[in-house]
Amino acid sequence: MPVISLSEPKNNKRIIIERALILEHIDILNFKNIRDARLDFCDGVNCLLGKNGMGKSNLLEAIYFLGMCRPMSSIPESALILHGEEMLMVKGQYSMDTGASEEVSCGIVRGKGKTLKRNGKEYDRISEHIGRFPVVTVTPSDSELVTGAAEVRRKLMDMVISQADRTYLAQLIRYNKSLESRNRMLRAGLSDQLLFEAIEAQLSETALSIHATRREWTEEISPVFRKYYSMISGDAETASMKYKSVLNDKTPLQVFNEDRSRDLALGYTSRGIHRDDLVTGLGEYSMRRLGSQGQVKSYTVALRLAIFDYLKERSGVTPVLLLDDIFDKLDSERVRRIMELVSTGGNFRQIFITDTNREHLDETIASLQGESRMFEVADGNFNLICQNEKK
């Protein structure tokens, strides 16, 4: 199975991949149903076996929490704390194949907020952490990327691009602050045109930058996504992804001028990049409307793998890959193709896989060339039951 690579960036400066990110060890205290866990991982495939609700996915979320400093899903951060406890702590020891070592710790105390440290030193701003320890997830809830509202897909774009581009994250924060200022003016019923023009000039500048970056991201990732989907589906169908934005056809100032009267009546800004979307296609039709469960999952897996490649090339670091319940809703052939993609060719490095079926995981391990470990999970406890050294 060939390794897929992104095309050359438009500035013709390609990052050479020199570093693979490896999570060697993790300490977890009071994270969801994991009261106290200390685990050592291999730099290949780490399998988590257990019944539903035992803590397999919670371990993956703890790993995600270290890399992104936020929950994997849209829940309050306090919901991550084990019921009846006042705080949680997750600490990880990372290594690079260059020999460098990094320690990250992230904790939450009820009513007092969150602390994030790198090598014992607290960040001045949490945004400085984003992108340093990239992680890519494939989860059952990814179906929302196809079937859910535009906000889900827009949030995905923002999170992925922010990991690779700190300027983008700063622009996004600036845009949202200016947008809230305009919305406050609209709710107050202000009609001062000069005041609106001043705030809209700020919105326009950041909107143009964000729109250009999102468009470039979609153009860069789309061909890689299509290749991955084609491989997973066995060329059975063609999938597509298109960037939908009002700024594809108009400038921000044109939109604000056209909508000001209506926005005053509504009390909010009705159009702009905060309404952008990704249109998901299946052949000539909508994946959202006509895609089967297997096709939707194939779509989201292909998208996540394309995101993996994007982050790898843009950051110079091979992300950690988390595959949660990857075998669900896919036929055996599609599962086999996915596992071939992630376990051969050297494009991926450290992988975490969860499943309830020992046979699935045994077959996965048997197909691998590198190191692997399997943990049995029960009630938030982890037991190493199988370990294969590098061949």
Side-chain angles (χ1 to χ4, degrees), residues 107-362:
I108 301 174
V109 178
R110 291 192 193 276
K112 295 185 179 180
K114 180 169 53 182
T115 59
L116 175 65
K117 296 180 179 180
R118 177 188 174 204
N119 297 325
K121 183 179 179 181
E122 192 165 353
Y123 284 95
D124 293 328
R125 293 183 300 274
I126 288 179
S127 61
E128 296 174 359
H129 182 70
I130 305 304
R132 292 186 182 274
F133 303 90
V135 56
V136 174
T137 66
V138 176
T139 73
S141 63
D142 280 350
S143 60
E144 286 290 304
L145 294 173
V146 173
T147 62
E151 180 184 3
V152 179
R153 292 176 288 278
R154 192 167 55 249
K155 184 181 293 185
L156 174 74
M157 279 194 290
D158 292 339
M159 288 180 62
V160 172
I161 298 171
S162 294
Q163 289 188 69
D165 186 345
R166 295 186 186 279
T167 302
Y168 178 85
L169 180 58
Q171 292 278 30
L172 198 62
I173 293 171
R174 183 182 174 192
Y175 177 86
N176 287 331
K177 288 181 178 178
S178 297
L179 179 65
E180 180 53 34
S181 296
R182 186 176 191 268
N183 286 341
R184 283 198 300 268
M185 292 163 58
L186 293 170
R187 289 193 295 269
L190 300 181
S191 57
D192 188 328
Q193 184 169 337
L194 291 178
L195 196 57
F196 270 105
E197 288 177 352
I199 195 68
E200 287 166 2
Q202 297 177 31
L203 275 168
S204 178
E205 179 183 353
T206 52
L208 287 170
S209 175
I210 292 167
H211 174 264
T213 304
R214 286 177 177 173
R215 182 175 58 189
E216 181 179 346
W217 177 80
T218 309
E219 291 174 352
E220 186 172 344
I221 205 171
S222 289
V224 187
F225 156 75
R226 288 195 299 269
K227 289 179 182 178
Y228 272 130
Y229 187 90
S230 177
M231 288 181 175
I232 293 169
S233 68
D235 296 319
E237 58 264 343
T238 303
S240 62
M241 176 177 59
K242 296 180 181 179
Y243 177 39
K244 179 182 178 182
S245 175
V246 66
L247 299 194
N248 288 348
D249 304 307
K250 298 183 178 183
T251 68
L253 292 180
Q254 285 176 322
V255 174
F256 293 138
N257 288 331
E258 291 175 4
D259 293 353
R260 194 171 297 128
S261 296
R262 182 176 64 175
D263 289 351
L264 278 166
L266 292 171
Y268 62 86
T269 305
S270 57
R271 292 194 297 170
I273 60 163
H274 56 287
R275 302 289 186 183
D276 285 355
D277 197 2
L278 287 173
V279 180
T280 59
L282 178 64
E284 299 179 356
Y285 304 97
S286 166
M287 175 66 79
R288 182 178 182 178
R289 293 181 180 179
L290 297 178
S292 67
Q293 288 185 330
Q295 289 169 328
V296 168
K297 183 146 190 176
S298 298
Y299 191 103
T300 58
V301 172
L303 178 56
R304 292 293 194 182
L305 296 184
I307 287 170
F308 184 99
D309 280 14
Y310 172 84
L311 291 176
K312 179 177 178 178
E313 294 207 5
R314 286 304 179 98
S315 69
V317 178
T318 302
V320 175
L321 180 63
L322 310 179
L323 303 177
D324 191 12
D325 207 10
I326 188 69
F327 303 99
D328 184 48
K329 295 183 175 61
L330 290 173
D331 61 56
S332 59
E333 276 301 300
R334 294 197 183 213
V335 169
R336 180 186 62 78
R337 295 184 192 113
I338 291 171
M339 296 317 301
E340 283 185 359
L341 279 171
V342 302
S343 63
T344 61
N347 201 35
F348 302 87
R349 185 66 178 270
Q350 190 178 39
I351 304 171
F352 292 80
I353 304 176
T354 74
D355 198 61
T356 59
N357 189 317
R358 174 71 184 261
E359 183 179 349
H360 287 162
L361 296 178
D362 283 338

Side-chain angles (χ1 to χ4, degrees), residues 12-30:
N12 291 322
K13 293 182 180 180
R14 189 176 189 133
I15 294 176
I16 303 300
I17 304 305
E18 297 180 348
R19 298 176 293 163
L21 183 68
I22 303 299
L23 178 60
E24 293 186 334
H25 177 84
I26 195 168
D27 289 295
I28 304 173
L29 180 66
N30 298 334

